[in-house]
Amino acid sequence: MEMNSTTIIPGYYNASHSVVNSSLLYECDQEINSYGLSDFIIYGVLINLIGLFGILGNTISMIILSRPQMKSSINYLLIGLARCDTVLIIVAILIYGLPAIYTYTGLLFHYKFIVYPKIIKFLYPFSCMAQIVTVYLTLTVTVERYIAVCHPLQARSFCTYGRAQVAVLVIVVFAFLYNLPKFWEIEVYVEIHWKYNVTIYCIFPTEMRSNDFYVTLYIHWLYFFVYYMFPIIALVIFNTAIYRRVRKANRDLQQLSRHQRREIGLATMLLCVVVVFLICNILPLVSNIYETFIEDPPRWMVQVGNLLVTINSSINFIIYVIFGRKFKRTFLRLFCSSRLHGPNRDSPEFQTYDESIVTNTTNIELRNSVRHLGNLNRSNTINRNNNLVHGGNVHVSNGSTRRSVKLSRPVSSGPCVYYPAKSPARSPSQISRTSSSHNGWNNRKENDDTTL
């Protein structure tokens, strides 16, 4: 959340209003309804509605990604990202959404002038912590995908669940220590409300927050480098390399193994996450540059920038549903009617091996072919009369299903068959193809359910 200007926090003391014009009315040294309508539309309506959707979507994402069959290093990072996005949305609603309702409608007076000034001292630092954790978790996810896609031989040792836990812990500790001074940037003072003649609380910058050296070095320059410049440059470099690898892989799609295709698909999905992140943070970056090198940015730039940051924290769930096949299937099974996706969707009967080979035969047909082939080997179950033998073909009947197998060549069950209890015999050429496929990408023995 873009929290780098005194004009961003509703009700924050503005030094230019220290001498109050008697013809204007002020609350906490801020002109009444000066930005009432725009604040109400952007903050009071859009941020609140988008934020509620984002909280719901992130909660569903955390539930799905926390399933035992989804356990993996990348999913652990995505769970951490969803948690931080949820915290960021909640803080955005409390800092922007609810106070903006009073600004235009006059509702929530008690929250605006009693509750909000007492909690903003803690919400402001936590919003900055959540923002920096979100930024660097996005970068960590990108680095993990870069290693998995561009350096698959090193992925087994680097992209582990334990390393993902350590990365999240390091990022959280760094975010806490970096934003620790922000706890001492705000203080509260008391005044009498002009209309209701009751005591209200207002927020005021501390002496440290008003220090020019502190504002220039910490608020402007460090914020610019730590929050924007370094992570954005790194994201562009790593995702450019991932994009080139994905393009090359798509040209050689038929030569990729099933595991390689899963990695490429996951990389493509996370590329979309990063692209949305960069788009939503362009305007806050421009706003920060404007403030650092010119003057305070226009109010509309700050408002729209905060809205875009909230949108970025709320939209990942949609990307997962669109691009994550396993994620979407699990979502339908857990939260939607069984009529939408059929019973036992995750059972072997509904799984396919379409990524490993191009075939015109379904898995169930292949499985039945193996069973019929076994029946052919039993002399007491095969009827070789004239009614079944025609032109070198043997027709095997199994209830209402009929299969035709040519006698001139042995029947192969194909590499897609993995459901029968006993594996069919494989030819030497099949064994050699199987053994040769265990290279860089395939040496990672992961369960299919761990991917999105």
Side-chain angles (χ1 to χ4, degrees):
M1 189 62 58
E2 184 189 9
M3 304 287 285
N4 57 337
S5 172
T6 58
T7 62
I8 295 175
I9 305 176
Y12 204 91
Y13 174 81
N14 192 336
S16 63
H17 290 160
S18 57
V19 179
V20 179
N21 189 332
S22 58
S23 63
L24 300 176
L25 294 176
Y26 288 85
E27 291 175 334
C28 294
D29 291 305
Q30 194 171 48
E31 184 181 347
I32 296 177
N33 290 331
S34 56
Y35 304 101
L37 181 59
S38 61
D39 275 358
F40 176 73
I41 295 175
I42 296 178
Y43 291 157
V45 176
L46 295 180
I47 281 188
N48 285 335
L49 293 179
I50 295 173
L52 291 176
F53 171 80
I55 292 173
L56 176 62
N58 289 332
T59 302
I60 295 175
S61 298
M62 287 185 283
I63 293 174
I64 295 176
L65 295 174
S66 300
R67 305 285 292 179
Q69 65 270 25
M70 301 287 281
K71 183 177 181 180
S72 66
S73 60
I74 186 66
N75 288 349
Y76 183 82
L77 295 175
L78 294 179
I79 292 173
L81 183 60
R83 289 171 179 169
C84 291
D85 283 338
T86 302
V87 172
L88 199 58
I89 293 171
I90 294 174
V91 173
I93 292 175
L94 294 176
I95 291 180
Y96 302 110
L98 298 184
I101 294 176
Y102 167 81
T103 305
Y104 186 71
T105 65
L107 302 175
L108 300 179
F109 174 86
H110 185 270
Y111 178 82
K112 169 71 176 179
F113 293 107
I114 305 298
V115 178
Y116 170 78
K118 295 180 180 179
I119 63 176
I120 185 63
K121 183 177 181 179
F122 305 99
L123 293 179
Y124 173 49
F126 278 117
S127 68
C128 297
M129 293 177 193
Q131 182 188 10
I132 198 171
V133 172
T134 299
V135 170
Y136 281 90
L137 274 182
T138 304
L139 179 58
T140 304
V141 168
T142 299
V143 173
E144 201 271 356
R145 282 298 89 195
Y146 170 77
I147 296 174
V149 172
C150 301
H151 302 281
L153 294 178
Q154 286 76 35
R156 186 176 183 181
S157 58
F158 282 96
C159 303
T160 63
Y161 195 83
R163 289 182 183 271
Q165 291 178 312
V166 172
V168 172
L169 179 61
V170 170
I171 292 173
V172 171
V173 172
F174 168 73
F176 176 78
L177 295 178
Y178 177 83
N179 291 285
L180 198 59
K182 296 185 183 298
F183 284 98
W184 292 275
E185 288 187 8
I186 299 174
E187 62 183 3
V188 179
Y189 71 96
V190 177
E191 72 175 40
I192 303 300
H193 194 267
W194 66 274
K195 181 178 181 181
Y196 301 107
N197 197 28
V198 295
T199 300
I200 61 174
Y201 298 89
C202 304
I203 56 177
F204 184 84
T206 62
E207 184 178 352
M208 181 181 71
R209 182 62 173 80
S210 303
N211 183 275
D212 291 338
F213 178 77
Y214 176 82
V215 171
T216 302
L217 178 63
Y218 181 74
I219 301 298
H220 290 166
W221 285 102
L222 278 180
Y223 184 91
F224 173 71
F225 281 102
V226 174
Y227 279 80
Y228 291 110
M229 186 173 180
F230 170 72
I232 287 180
I233 291 177
L235 284 172
V236 171
I237 293 174
F238 284 118
N239 282 281
T240 300
I242 294 174
Y243 175 72
R244 291 177 177 175
R245 180 66 183 90
V246 169
R247 286 192 61 186
K248 183 178 183 300
N250 288 333
R251 289 195 299 266
D252 305 328
L253 198 61
Q254 299 300 326
Q255 302 177 7
L256 299 180
S257 66
R258 187 170 188 244
H259 178 75
Q260 288 174 310
R261 296 191 186 196
R262 289 201 312 269
E263 295 291 347
I264 292 297
L266 184 57
T268 303
M269 185 194 73
L270 295 178
L271 271 176
C272 296
V273 173
V274 174
V275 168
V276 171
F277 172 85
L278 294 175
I279 292 175
C280 291
N281 280 275
I282 287 178
L283 189 59
L285 173 61
V286 173
S287 176
N288 182 263
I289 294 175
Y290 194 97
E291 182 182 21
T292 302
F293 297 101
I294 304 177
E295 59 183 2
D296 288 344
R299 178 77 178 188
W300 69 265
M301 186 180 295
V302 176
Q303 292 172 327
V304 177
N306 289 328
L307 176 62
L308 289 174
V309 172
T310 306
I311 292 174
N312 177 67
S313 298
S314 306
I315 203 171
N316 285 344
F317 168 74
I318 298 177
I319 299 176
Y320 298 158
V321 170
I322 295 175
F323 294 96
R325 187 175 56 180
K326 171 65 71 173
F327 184 94
K328 178 167 59 178
R329 190 163 65 239
T330 306
F331 168 73
L332 292 175
R333 191 182 78 250
L334 292 179
F335 299 100
C336 299
S337 172
S338 60
R339 290 191 295 268
L340 296 178
H341 54 89
N344 299 325
R345 185 67 178 176
D346 285 340
S347 65
E349 299 292 336
F350 289 89
Q351 298 181 13
T352 61
Y353 231 159
D354 54 346
E355 292 179 332
S356 61
I357 189 172
V358 178
T359 178
N360 294 325
T361 309
T362 64
N363 291 324
I364 298 176
E365 290 174 340
L366 288 171
R367 183 176 64 177
N368 291 334
S369 297
V370 174
R371 291 175 178 174
H372 297 320
L373 183 61
N375 292 334
L376 287 175
N377 295 328
R378 300 188 186 96
S379 59
N380 59 341
T381 60
I382 298 180
N383 186 0
R384 298 180 181 274
N385 53 43
N386 293 331
N387 293 329
L388 294 177
V389 179
H390 299 284
N393 292 338
V394 176
H395 299 272
V396 183
S397 177
N398 182 15
S400 61
T401 306
R402 298 178 62 85
R403 294 291 181 266
S404 177
V405 183
K406 291 187 177 181
L407 293 174
S408 58
R409 58 179 180 180
V411 178
S412 172
S413 61
C416 296
V417 179
Y418 60 102
Y419 299 124
K422 295 182 180 180
S423 300
R426 295 184 295 177
S427 64
S429 61
Q430 290 175 309
I431 297 175
S432 62
R433 286 198 301 270
T434 303
S435 60
S436 63
S437 66
H438 293 279
N439 51 25
W441 295 64
N442 293 328
N443 60 4
R444 297 174 61 191
K445 299 179 180 179
E446 296 183 6
N447 192 302
D448 292 348
D449 289 336
T450 63
T451 62
L452 292 176

